[in-house]
Amino acid sequence: MKIALINPPFLFPSRNEIVFSQCIGLRSISSCLKMNGKHEVHFVDALMHGFSKIRRYYNGYMVGSDVDGIVSLIPPETELVGISAPFSQIAPIVHQIAERVKEKLPDAKVVMGGVYPSTQPELAKASCADYIVVGEGEQAMVGISANLKPTEIRGVYSKDEKPGRGFAPAEMVKNLNMLPFPDYSLPDMERYFTLSQRMKRGRTASLVTSRGCPFSCEFCSINSVYGRKYRPRAASGVLEEIKLLVDRYSIQALEIEDDNFTLLKGRTAEILEGIVRLNEKGAGLSWSTPNGVRIDTLDESIIKLIKRSNCTSLTLALEHGDQEVLKIMNKKLNLDRAYEIMKLLVKHEIPQIGVFVIVGYPGETEARYRESLRYLKKVRGLGNSIRVIVNFAQPYPGTKLTARCREEGIIKDKDLGNFLIKRELMSTGHIVPITTPDFDAAEVKKRKEEILNIFAPKWKVVVRRLLPMGAIQCLREMKKLI
Ligand code: B12
């Protein structure tokens, strides 16, 4: 079958936050299709093709080829088109793509999948896509490409079917070791490795070594796509893929995007020891975890290995410095234990330790915020290698947080999260969508500033105090021009 897989243009709140994506999900589907049939898979990655195309989009920026450009890249005889929608806020874009694809190829089957249809299936079903897939796409797309009746495939829903069947997710890949590596045979693979060098650590590859997370933090969307069963790949398979990346593509840096990379100590150790061996043979490989790891899965022996295996940046999912708020978030993390772990990470000189912190979380009273600030000051005291990444709480569709906010009347706007109506981007860095009797938007921004100032070099604190926010923006632009 002639198949086209589309990665849409992405939306970013500001130019400084534009990052590249290696489309691991869509490339995994591509490999599975090629492995399960004589399919010709054409990859249309709008973000990659148009990475220099940046234009205003409501309160943010769209990056990537426009819809005309995308449709023009789809071969005319294509029979099956898969459209990826990795974020809820991308809904209007993927609806437009589906509409235009159906105009160009009325007989082709158009299928939409990813986080958006998995968290808002009702909405996605209203698009021009013939089918949506809720959850993982590999088995669903292989079934559709084998001409199985789509609505008889678990997790596949036709746009015309009557509501009532609910939206049970697609069959998940039980044993990830049975999956082929994401498709590395794409014609422009070279660009993926070079465009991704956001952290300037050389040729970079993204890697996912497990799926699913047994925890269910109130604010997180991933359970709707990957479920709560933790499905790790075997360390041997992960190391085989890493070796391929080093030998065939001279990869120098890995960005591990798992939701819970270090959950299983034995497997983590095996993978890191494998990286140590590769580096002993001259691979010069470094790695980082931009999506964060769970702090209480770490201990001193693993931390020593993290150091020996050349981790350049370890991001920690702390989320808050007050135990009560962590309880409300259902994070199940003990702050004293977390502090001891961060102390060990500094002791073993992990070069960069990023700490995710959410501010403006429903339940974050003034007292709990002060307590969090006290805790973060203690963490700051551990050393300069610790930096903080402060995000505003975001009510992403399909999360327990959004449901609670609606129940408690914190969110009154019924269309919040429906990006077909509300096109304004949700951005963890800029928009305060949730306010409560404990804080308004100005207060949340002040709290973010206060937390950032704890970890910022003194001169930055002074500049921040002296100059109104606007000027900082032009300062950043000026610095870029110099
Ligand atoms: C890597 C990553 C990024 C990367 C690239 C993302 C990408 N998908 O290419 C970058 C850094 C760009 C990024 C940015 C952001 N991210 Co992010 N990101 C992730 C992360 C950690 C991994 C994505 C991944 O590779 N998953 C593994 C692969 C195998 O899965 P997949 O891509 O989802 O694909 C599978 C299914 O979705 C489905 N599928 C996907 N496409 C298709 C297509 C078809 C046709 C079919 C049938 C199926 C299908 O099948 C695939 C294989 O099983 C996810 C968390 C997660 N576990 O996925 C968060 C996640 C997607 N990000 C999230 C968020 C919120 C953001 C930001 C908005 C945060 C911010 N800073 O503001 C920004 C948004 C940027 C933007 N432009 O809009 C949320 C999305 C929530 C939501 N409801 O929208 C997630 C789910 C994290 C979370 N914990 O909630 N992110």
Side-chain angles (χ1 to χ4, degrees):
M1 184 181 270
K2 294 196 178 334
I3 303 173
L5 296 177
I6 300 176
N7 186 47
F10 279 18
L11 305 169
F12 296 94
S14 72
R15 285 173 178 275
N16 296 331
E17 289 156 282
I18 294 175
V19 288
F20 188 65
S21 158
Q22 298 199 353
C23 308
I24 292 180
L26 215 49
R27 287 175 37 231
S28 174
I29 292 172
S30 177
S31 290
C32 288
L33 287 168
K34 290 177 180 177
M35 189 172 85
N36 290 282
K38 291 208 176 347
H39 302 304
E40 201 187 302
V41 181
H42 195 74
F43 215 79
V44 180
D45 184 344
L47 181 68
M48 192 267 290
H49 282 295
F51 199 53
S52 54
K53 278 213 185 94
I54 304 170
R55 49 221 179 272
R56 287 296 307 193
Y57 175 87
Y58 295 86
N59 60 341
Y61 296 85
M62 185 189 304
V63 179
S65 316
D66 60 20
V67 177
D68 294 340
I70 293 167
V71 174
S72 68
L73 291 170
I74 304 172
E77 63 291 348
T78 299
E79 301 152 85
L80 172 60
V81 178
I83 302 173
S84 185
F87 314 103
S88 310
Q89 60 194 12
I90 221 155
I93 317 285
V94 288
H95 278 235
Q96 227 189 334
I97 296 171
E99 187 183 351
R100 297 294 305 286
V101 170
K102 281 310 282 185
E103 273 166 23
K104 175 178 177 178
L105 303 163
D107 305 329
K109 274 197 206 101
V110 176
V111 182
M112 188 187 288
V115 173
Y116 162 54
S118 300
T119 52
Q120 295 171 293
E122 273 306 348
L123 225 50
K125 245 183 67 175
S127 74
C128 297
D130 302 295
Y131 303 98
I132 64 162
V133 171
V134 171
E136 289 184 359
E138 286 91 350
Q139 308 202 70
M141 284 298 276
V142 167
I144 295 171
S145 67
N147 290 321
L148 299 183
K149 194 159 180 291
T151 46
E152 279 156 20
I153 303 170
R154 243 184 68 191
V156 180
Y157 301 90
S158 143
K159 69 184 280 76
D160 312 321
E161 73 182 76
K162 305 269 164 301
R165 181 157 71 107
F167 293 103
E171 198 171 345
M172 293 193 186
V173 181
K174 293 190 185 47
N175 177 356
L176 292 184
N177 302 313
M178 306 308 287
L179 272 184
F181 297 155
D183 195 345
Y184 286 111
S185 70
L186 306 184
D188 315 295
M189 206 58 227
E190 188 49 28
R191 286 204 73 199
Y192 284 87
F193 299 138
T194 45
L195 279 175
S196 284
Q197 306 188 35
R198 61 182 165 170
M199 304 306 270
K200 315 247 173 315
R201 295 190 184 113
R203 297 165 62 77
T204 300
S206 296
L207 195 65
V208 170
T209 78
S210 66
R211 293 184 189 178
C213 179
F215 298 91
S216 63
C217 306
E218 200 187 33
F219 51 82
C220 184
S221 296
I222 66 131
N223 291 144
S224 341
V225 184
Y226 315 97
R228 294 194 53 197
K229 184 164 173 12
Y230 185 63
R231 292 166 291 141
R233 289 169 58 192
S236 55
V238 174
L239 289 169
E240 198 192 322
E241 184 174 356
I242 294 175
K243 189 160 183 336
L244 171 121
L245 286 167
V246 170
D247 295 351
R248 196 184 299 172
Y249 301 105
S250 316
I251 291 301
Q252 298 151 300
L254 295 172
E255 291 185 344
I256 299 174
E257 298 282 6
D258 294 38
D259 296 301
N260 229 316
F261 171 54
T262 53
L263 189 66
L264 303 179
K265 184 175 171 189
R267 186 188 84 114
T268 310
E270 218 183 317
I271 293 173
L272 299 185
E273 273 149 7
I275 295 176
V276 170
R277 286 194 301 279
L278 280 171
N279 284 343
E280 281 161 357
K281 295 193 193 105
L285 201 57
S286 72
W287 60 279
S288 63
T289 59
N291 188 31
V293 296
R294 203 181 152 84
I295 302 175
D296 55 9
T297 60
L298 307 176
D299 64 14
E300 187 145 23
S301 66
I302 288 288
I303 290 171
K304 285 180 182 159
L305 254 180
I306 289 173
K307 178 63 182 174
R308 278 182 47 226
S309 58
N310 199 21
C311 171
T312 42
S313 169
L314 193 75
T315 306
L316 307 174
L318 175 75
E319 312 301 0
H320 209 277
D322 175 74
Q323 201 64 59
E324 282 300 305
V325 176
L326 283 183
K327 197 148 163 265
I328 294 169
M329 289 174 168
N330 194 26
K331 183 78 193 168
K332 296 193 171 57
L333 177 69
N334 175 283
L335 283 173
D336 297 335
R337 173 99 193 277
Y339 179 77
E340 292 312 314
I341 298 290
M342 287 188 269
K343 210 165 156 183
L344 286 171
L345 287 165
V346 172
K347 172 185 163 199
H348 290 280
E349 298 175 344
I350 305 300
Q352 200 181 69
I353 302 158
V355 177
F356 282 139
V357 171
I358 298 178
V359 70
Y361 201 85
E364 185 189 279
T365 61
E366 174 71 18
R368 289 171 181 159
Y369 167 64
R370 294 273 141 229
E371 178 50 31
S372 179
L373 217 52
R374 192 194 59 72
Y375 180 88
L376 291 170
K377 281 181 181 151
K378 218 175 79 176
V379 170
R380 174 69 187 85
L382 289 170
N384 294 336
S385 56
I386 299 189
R387 65 189 179 91
V388 74
I389 303 139
V390 185
N391 290 318
F392 297 138
Q394 301 288 323
Y396 286 113
T399 60
K400 296 188 187 68
L401 171 64
T402 306
R404 174 165 72 90
C405 287
R406 289 199 186 288
E407 274 149 35
E408 296 177 1
I410 294 170
I411 294 178
K412 297 188 178 54
D413 177 345
K414 66 174 182 35
D415 294 323
L416 188 81
N418 176 346
F419 293 93
L420 298 177
I421 295 174
K422 296 212 162 255
R423 303 286 171 106
E424 304 290 322
L425 294 187
M426 269 187 193
S427 87
T428 51
H430 304 262
I431 314 288
V432 180
I434 302 174
T435 57
T436 74
D438 294 313
F439 49 76
D440 61 11
E443 169 63 17
V444 176
K445 288 185 176 163
K446 183 177 79 49
R447 290 180 181 183
K448 174 179 176 177
E449 205 64 32
E450 218 167 350
I451 294 171
L452 286 173
N453 286 346
I454 294 173
F455 291 82
K458 286 284 160 279
W459 69 266
K460 237 186 194 166
V461 178
V462 174
V463 169
R464 276 213 189 100
R465 290 243 171 81
L466 293 182
L467 299 176
M469 191 42 130
I472 290 183
Q473 226 45 39
C474 63
L475 206 66
R476 273 210 198 111
E477 299 303 323
M478 270 158 52
K479 252 182 25 199
K480 248 196 264 152
L481 298 170
I482 298 163

